Each structure stands twice: as structure tokens, then as C-alpha cells.
């Protein structure tokens, strides 16, 4: 049949052009049927979705970071380091002044005019004087010599004022002997031994007398005062230079003590708070907050997790003194860490969304519309990529995005299946079938197209393949449609029809005779039928499906005769007219 069509087209220019036009129209219709939408619609939808999603992620991240930074900033100092240091220095000085006043009150309550024995002090002094080597006589303090050489002041008894004054001077000389680089331990020992004997005479050793008890109370307070304000951090902060200035500037008091951090910071903060007033802990903690803020926050106000953790580690002992502050810092750091982790993940997510190699959707957006579907087909997992693309497209309620994805595939299918023949580009059905038959491609498309749509794609490809077959060389049926071949092609069905009609007109044995006569008569008429009419009939059947069907229908029953005769009759009538002319 293909040979018949090709031969008819070759001999009939009009038929050839009609077949060509019909084939082109069929391919164009098939190509149009493949189109579902515009790929640019899907690309625009995906791009907008990505932009909106990215903006939302970024907004959420910024909000989390802002909240964390706000909390971290709230930990920062409310006052400057200098202000907090001045507060601490003034609190220490005020506390010292109050303690000194209390000390003076305690000593003032002791009856200074009362007389106490000097026996123990003198005995100790005389023993020391006798036992000290001549070369070391200079180590004996002058106050000890005065005790033995001034009977008017230090007789068998002396006033409490003079004995306590002697005690204080001996203790001072003992401290002086042990100060500096040139220490005199022997002198300090002598002074301390006589001082202890003076305490015994005052009754302060065992508190046997009322005066002794008062002295012990005053002494204990003085000792505590000395330990608090003359030693450790308070002692350094209160120390004066020879000119009377403070050795450490008040504005730097916390920097030189608590600010050293670690164990030293913890110890000095405890010493300062023990010595100073109620506002000191507030100032110290505010100062610590300032230190943390400076370490944990960058100059731009961004949280630096590493620096925050280093600060907590280096100031573990110091922060342990302030549990509530430590908890506040820990909570803020955790919030900052969480926000930073979220920001990092969001950055990675946005980067992945923007990376065409990692995101099929982004790859679809970045590619030219006619090649957009390759982002799916070239992915490591085309089926998964197609599923994600389709799921994203289905979020477009207008349906344009999904139609655009299908349109992108249609463009890919048409471009991949197109071939150039005789200077013209045409879509090859065979090529389409090969593409649709690839397992990965078929599985990927199943995530985009419904089963009915997949079936339709295959049907279109199959129909186009039939057009491809029509262009291939067919069986050789001769050089032309004229002559005996053409007559023979229509002679057989016509003779069968005539025989059937003759048989119906005869009766009994005559029916066979009439049938034979009718068939012979048709054969005779066919001998006079012009070859060009037969050729015309066959040529017309190429473009006339019903005529073609009539020529192929076997006439075996009256009903079949009645169905095909209308299609053959015009050519027979024309042939009969031609025969009568002969």
C-alpha cells in the first residue's frame, strides 16, 4: 500500500503536493498537541517562590539574630568601667572610714587612766637585754629600753594609755623590721615578745579583767580592720605613694583587680566585696558584664561564639561567685549559638537553593526555556528531581507552572526528535518513541504527567512514526499505475460483484449460468475500460479513505456489494461511455 501511495505521488504532482501538505499538517498538529504551556511561566513562578522563600528565611534568621543580640546586649554594662571602678573605690574608702571610726570608739571606751602592772613586760625586757649579744644590742627597740629606763612612766604599774601606747609602738616596729628588702627578724622578734608581755599586764591575754576584755575586743576589731583594708586587693587600692596619691588610679581599680579574671579575679572580687559597701557587688557584676560584652560581641555588634566561650572558660571561678549572672550569660550564649546555627543552616539552604547543580528547580530556572527540562534529565536522580519539580509546580494554583514544566519537556522532546530532511526540519516519531522508551526518562515523566497524559504522548509518537514509515522506500509495484496492473486491481472485485448480481437474477441451475455471464460481461467491459480511469481510481484512493476501503473490501455478500458499489460506479460509468465510443 505504501508502494502504491509513493508511486501515485511520483506520477501525480498534485497528489504529491497534497500528500506533502497533509503530512506537514499532521506533524504540525502533533507538535501542537505536545505543547502544554510556556516554560517561562514555570521559570517565573519558581523564581518568585525562591525569592519569597529566601526572603522569609532571611527575615526569620535576622529576627533570631536580632533577638539573640538584644539579649546579649542586655548583659552589657550599664555604666562605664571607670564609673564602676570609681564606685568601688569610694565604697572601700567609705567602709574604711566607718571601720576606723568604730575602732576609735572601741579604744576610746577603754579607761586610759586606769593603772595596770608592768611586771611581765619588764621581766621579759630585762631577760632580753641580758641574753642579747653585745653586737646585737642595737636590735633592741628603743621602746624596750624606755620601758626599763623610765621608772616615772613605767614603775611597778603604769596607765593603760602608756601601756597600750607601748604595745602599739612595739607592734609597729616589728612590722617595720620585716618590711622592705633589709629585714631585721631579730628586732621584730624582740619587739613582738615584749608586746605580748605588755598584753599580759593589760589583762588581754586571758581576759581576766574588764579592761582586758575591752582591749581584746578593740584589738580583735583592729586586727580584722588590718586584714581587711591593709591586705589583698583593698590594701593595694588604698595604698598611697610618698606624695600622698593613690598607688592605683580609682578609675582603674577594677581593671587591676577583678579584671584580671580567673582565680585572681574571683579572689579579689571577694576581698573587695568584704571590705566595701552594699553597692560594690552591683558595680562589680556590671563591670563583669561589660567584660563579657566586649569579648563576646564584635565591634559591629555581632555575636562571636568562640570568644564568648573563651570568656566563660577563662572566668569560670569568677562567674561561680555570681550564679545568677552566670546563668544569664549561659542562657544568652545558648540563644546566640542557636541563632548562629540557624543562620548558618539558612545560608547553606539558600546556597543549595541557588546552586543549579544541587537544586533541580534552580537548574530549571537558570537554563534557557527550550533546555530547561535537562536540569531534570541530567540530574543524578532524574526521578527524584522530576518529583520535586512537579511538587513545586503544583503549588501554583493557576496551573501555569505545571503546564510550563510540561511545555519545557515538550520543547525538549520536539528539539531532540527533530531531524532535517531535504532542507526541512520535521519531528521524527521514531526518535520520540526512543526518547519516551528510555527507562529513566519514562520514570521521570511519570512524576510530571498523569497516566492518561503519558498514554497520549506515546500515541502521538506512534502516529508520527507512521508518517515516518510513509517516507521510507516501499515495495516496487511497477513503474506506473496505468495498464493491466491497474485494470487487474479493480477487475477482480467488479467481476465478483457482477457474478453475485447475475446469480440473484437466475433461478436454479440458471443462477450459475447467469453469474458466469455477468462476470464475463464485466471482464469484457474491463477490457474496454480506459487505463487512465483505473489509474485515476487508484490515485484517488490514496487521499480518499472510503474509496481505498472499498477497493480493499472483498465482495462476498449483497450487503457488501451495495456498500462498495457507490464508490466504484462513477469510474465504471465513465469507462462504459468510453467503451461505447470504441
Amino acid at each position: 500500500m505504501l508502494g502504491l501511495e509513493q508511486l501515485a505521488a511520483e506520477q501525480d504532482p498534485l497528489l504529491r503536493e497534497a500528500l506533502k501538505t497533509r503530512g506537514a499538517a499532521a506533524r504540525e498538529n502533533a507538535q501542537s498537541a505536545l505543547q502544554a504551556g510556556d516554560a517561562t511561566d514555570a521559570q517565573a513562578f519558581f523564581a518568585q517562590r525562591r525569592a519569597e522563600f529566601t526572603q522569609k528565611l532571611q527575615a526569620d534568621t535576622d529576627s533570631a539574630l536580632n533577638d539573640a543580640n538584644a539579649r546579649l546586649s542586655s548583659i552589657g554594662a550599664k555604666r562605664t568601667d571607670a564609673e564602676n571602678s570609681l564606685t568601688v573605690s569610694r565604697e572601700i574608702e567609705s567602709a574604711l572610714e566607718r571601720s576606723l571610726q568604730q575602732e576609735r570608739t572601741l579604744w576610746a571606751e577603754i579607761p586610759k587612766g586606769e593603772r595596770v602592772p608592768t611586771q611581765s613586760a619588764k621581766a621579759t625586757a630585762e631577760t632580753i637585754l641580758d641574753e642579747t649579744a653585745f653586737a646585737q644590742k642595737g636590735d633592741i627597740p628603743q621602746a624596750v629600753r624606755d620601758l626599763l629606763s623610765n621608772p616615772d612612766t613605767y614603775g611597778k604599774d603604769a596607765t593603760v594609755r602608756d601601756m597600750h601606747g607601748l604595745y602599739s609602738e612595739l607592734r609597729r616596729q616589728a612590722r617595720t623590721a620585716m618590711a622592705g628588702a633589709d629585714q631585721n627578724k631579730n628586732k621584730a622578734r624582740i619587739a613582738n615578745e615584749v608586746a605580748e608581755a605588755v598584753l599580759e599586764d593589760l589583762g588581754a591575754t586571758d581576759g581576766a579583767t574588764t579592761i582586758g576584755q575591752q582591749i581584746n575586743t578593740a584589738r580583735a576589731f583592729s586586727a580584722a580592720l588590718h586584714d581587711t583594708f591593709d591586705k589583698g586587693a583593698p590594701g593595694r587600692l588604698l595604698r598611697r605613694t610618698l606624695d600622698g596619691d593613690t598607688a592605683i588610679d580609682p578609675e582603674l581599680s577594677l581593671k587591676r583587680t577583678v579584671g584580671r579574671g580567673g582565680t585572681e579575679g574571683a579572689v579579689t572580687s571577694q576581698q573587695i566585696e568584704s571590705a566595701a559597701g552594699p553597692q560594690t557587688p552591683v558595680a562589680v557584676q556590671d563591670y563583669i558584664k561589660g567584660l563579657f560584652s566586649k569579648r563576646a560581641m564584635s565591634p559591629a555588634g555581632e555575636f562571636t561564639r568562640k570568644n564568648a566561650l573563651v570568656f566563660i572558660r577563662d572566668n569560670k571561678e569568677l562567674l561561680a561567685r555570681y550564679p545568677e549572672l552566670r546563668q544569664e550569660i549561659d542562657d544568652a550564649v545558648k540563644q546566640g549559638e542557636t541563632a548562629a546555627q540557624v543562620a548558618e543552616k539558612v545560608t547553606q539552604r539558600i546556597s543549595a537553593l541557588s546552586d543549579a547543580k544541587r537544586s533541580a528547580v534552580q537548574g530549571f530556572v537558570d537554563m534557557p526555556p527550550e533546555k530547561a527540562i535537562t536540569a531534570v534529565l541530567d540530574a543524578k536522580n532524574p526521578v527524584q528531581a522530576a518529583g520535586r519539580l512537579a511538587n513545586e509546580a503544583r503549588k501554583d494554583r493557576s496551573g501555569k507552572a505545571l503546564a510550563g514544566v510540561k511545555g519545557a519537556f515538550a520543547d525538549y522532546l520536539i528539539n531532540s526528535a527533530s531531524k532535517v530532511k531535504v532542507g526541512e526540519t520535521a519531528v521524527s516519531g521514531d526518535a520520540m518513541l526512543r526518547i519516551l522508551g528510555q527507562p529513566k526518562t519514562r520514570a521521570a515523566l511519570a512524576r510530571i504527567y498523569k497516566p492518561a497524559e503519558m498514554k497520549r504522548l506515546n500515541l502521538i509518537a506512534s502516529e508520527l512514526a507512521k508518517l515516518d514509515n510513509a517516507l521510507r522506500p516501499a515495495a516496487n509495484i511497477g513503474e506506473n499505475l496505468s495498464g493491466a496492473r491497474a485494470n487487474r486491481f479493480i477487475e477482480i472485485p467488479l467481476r465478483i460483484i457482477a457474478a453475485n448480481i447475475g446469480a440473484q437474477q437466475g433461478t436454479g441451475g440458471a443462477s450459475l449460468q447467469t453469474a458466469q455471464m455477468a462476470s464475463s460481461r464485466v471482464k469484457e467491459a474491463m477490457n474496454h475500460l480506459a487505463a487512465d480511469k483505473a489509474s485515476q481510481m487508484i490515485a484517488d484512493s490514496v487521499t480518499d479513505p472510503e474509496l481505498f476501503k472499498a477497493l480493499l473490501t472483498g465482495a462476498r455478500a449483497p450487503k457488501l456489494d451495495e456498500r462498495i458499489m457507490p464508490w466504484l460506479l462513477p469510474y465504471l460509468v465513465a469507462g462504459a461511455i468510453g467503451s461505447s465510443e470504441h
Side-chain angles (χ1 to χ4, degrees):
M1 297 304 173
L2 289 176
L4 175 64
E5 178 180 300
Q6 292 173 1
L7 182 59
E10 180 182 344
Q11 295 185 6
D12 188 342
L14 294 178
L15 176 61
R16 182 168 61 251
E17 187 62 28
L19 291 175
K20 182 179 179 181
T21 300
R22 187 174 67 177
R27 294 183 187 277
E28 184 176 350
N29 290 337
Q31 185 169 327
S32 298
L34 289 173
Q35 294 290 356
D38 192 342
T40 57
D41 290 338
Q43 289 178 323
F45 175 75
F46 293 150
Q48 181 181 359
R49 287 272 302 177
R50 284 292 179 269
E52 292 175 352
F53 185 62
T54 299
Q55 290 175 0
K56 185 179 184 304
L57 286 178
Q58 195 61 58
D60 293 343
T61 301
D62 292 343
S63 177
L65 289 174
N66 290 337
D67 291 344
N69 287 337
R71 185 167 186 178
L72 288 164
S73 298
S74 68
I75 297 179
K78 294 180 173 57
R79 298 188 300 175
T80 65
D81 293 350
E83 290 174 336
N84 285 320
S85 294
L86 280 172
T87 297
V88 170
S89 294
R90 290 168 181 169
E91 287 282 311
I92 293 175
E93 290 175 353
S94 297
L96 173 61
E97 183 59 33
R98 290 192 299 271
S99 296
L100 289 174
Q101 181 62 39
Q102 188 175 354
E103 181 188 36
R104 288 192 291 269
T105 300
L106 290 172
W107 284 108
E109 291 176 351
I110 299 173
K112 301 296 192 302
E114 293 287 335
R115 301 190 72 84
V116 293
T118 61
Q119 179 181 355
S120 180
K122 283 186 174 183
T124 301
E126 288 174 354
T127 299
I128 290 174
L129 187 62
D130 292 340
E131 294 179 354
T132 301
F134 180 79
Q136 293 178 317
K137 294 292 184 180
D139 292 343
I140 300 174
Q142 184 61 42
V144 175
R145 295 178 186 275
D146 291 341
L147 173 63
L148 297 175
S149 61
N150 291 281
D152 292 340
T153 303
Y154 303 106
K156 291 182 178 180
D157 55 25
T159 62
V160 172
R161 180 182 293 106
D162 288 335
M163 289 298 283
H164 184 264
L166 175 61
Y167 169 80
S168 297
E169 177 59 20
L170 289 171
R171 290 300 192 190
R172 186 193 68 78
Q173 290 193 23
R175 289 194 299 271
T176 302
M178 293 301 295
D182 187 19
Q183 297 180 358
N184 190 333
K185 294 182 180 180
N186 190 45
K187 184 177 182 178
R189 177 186 64 80
I190 294 171
N192 284 328
E193 286 183 3
V194 176
E196 287 296 323
V198 172
L199 282 179
E200 186 177 347
D201 289 335
L202 287 169
T205 303
D206 55 6
T209 65
T210 302
I211 293 176
Q213 293 175 359
Q214 290 177 310
I215 290 175
N216 281 342
T217 300
R219 284 183 63 245
F221 186 87
S222 296
L225 186 149
H226 169 70
D227 289 340
T228 301
F229 294 99
D230 293 344
K231 299 178 180 179
R236 294 200 304 272
L237 297 178
L238 293 170
R239 188 174 298 130
R240 301 283 176 171
T241 64
L242 294 176
D243 296 332
D245 296 330
T246 54
I248 298 176
D249 290 336
E251 292 83 355
L252 300 177
S253 60
L254 288 176
K255 180 179 181 181
R256 299 288 293 275
T257 54
V258 178
R260 296 182 183 275
T263 303
E264 183 177 357
V267 171
T268 55
S269 67
Q270 184 175 8
Q271 292 172 346
I272 289 173
E273 290 184 20
S274 298
Q279 294 301 316
T280 301
V282 177
V284 170
Q285 292 187 63
D286 195 59
Y287 175 78
I288 295 173
K289 289 181 179 181
L291 293 180
F292 170 76
S293 181
K294 291 175 184 177
R295 183 72 68 87
M297 304 297 288
S298 69
E302 297 178 352
F303 171 68
T304 306
R305 175 178 178 272
K306 179 180 178 181
N307 292 345
L309 295 178
V310 170
F311 176 86
I312 294 174
R313 182 197 65 193
D314 293 345
N315 295 276
K316 181 178 179 180
E317 299 87 348
L318 178 60
L319 293 174
R321 295 201 65 250
Y322 308 101
E324 292 183 359
L325 175 60
R326 172 61 189 264
Q327 188 63 49
E328 184 180 357
I329 289 176
D330 285 345
D331 292 343
V333 169
K334 288 180 182 177
Q335 184 172 349
E337 287 179 333
T338 301
Q341 291 170 359
V342 170
E344 183 178 358
K345 290 182 180 179
V346 167
T347 300
Q348 294 174 353
R349 181 77 181 278
I350 292 175
S351 176
L353 291 174
S354 303
D355 187 354
K357 294 181 179 180
R358 300 171 62 186
S359 170
V361 175
Q362 189 62 41
F364 185 93
V365 172
D366 291 345
M367 295 292 286
E370 66 276 7
K371 296 182 179 180
I373 203 67
T374 58
V376 173
L377 300 178
D378 293 344
K380 292 183 179 180
N381 190 332
V383 178
Q384 186 181 67
R388 290 178 178 174
L389 193 69
N391 290 338
E392 189 77 8
R394 290 187 178 98
K395 295 176 183 178
D396 180 14
R397 296 183 178 180
S398 70
K400 291 183 178 180
L402 185 59
V405 172
K406 295 177 181 178
F409 176 76
D411 291 339
Y412 163 80
L413 187 61
I414 291 171
N415 293 335
S416 300
S418 294
K419 294 184 177 181
V420 179
K421 289 185 177 181
V422 195
E424 295 183 0
T425 302
V427 179
S428 169
D430 291 334
M432 282 182 61
L433 288 174
R434 283 195 297 271
I435 295 173
L436 293 172
Q438 295 173 355
K440 288 185 178 180
T441 301
R442 185 172 62 252
L445 291 177
R447 303 296 295 273
I448 299 173
Y449 288 90
K450 295 179 180 179
E453 293 174 326
M454 288 291 296
K455 184 176 181 180
R456 185 168 177 268
L457 286 176
N458 286 303
L459 178 60
I460 292 173
S462 298
E463 293 299 320
L464 286 174
K466 293 178 181 179
L467 291 177
D468 295 339
N469 291 334
L471 298 178
R472 294 189 181 96
N476 184 14
I477 63 171
E479 298 180 356
N480 55 65
L481 295 174
S482 302
R485 286 181 179 274
N487 287 341
R488 186 66 176 171
F489 188 78
I490 62 175
E491 174 188 345
I492 294 175
L494 291 178
R495 289 184 64 185
I496 293 174
I497 294 172
N500 289 335
I501 296 173
Q504 294 174 6
Q505 292 177 352
T507 57
S511 62
L512 293 176
Q513 184 177 4
T514 55
Q516 183 177 3
M517 291 175 60
S519 176
S520 299
R521 187 63 178 169
V522 168
K523 180 179 181 181
E524 182 180 350
M526 285 299 302
N527 290 333
H528 296 284
L529 181 62
D532 57 344
K533 292 298 180 183
S535 299
Q536 184 65 44
M537 184 188 305
I538 296 174
D540 290 347
S541 71
V542 173
T543 56
D544 189 338
E546 295 300 328
L547 175 59
F548 199 86
K549 188 185 300 182
L551 292 176
L552 295 178
T553 300
R556 294 292 186 272
K559 289 184 178 181
L560 292 178
D561 300 341
E562 295 173 0
R563 191 179 68 184
I564 66 176
M565 183 55 69
W567 300 102
L568 302 181
L569 187 59
Y571 299 94
L572 294 175
V573 172
I577 295 174
S579 176
S580 63
E581 292 176 354
H582 291 287

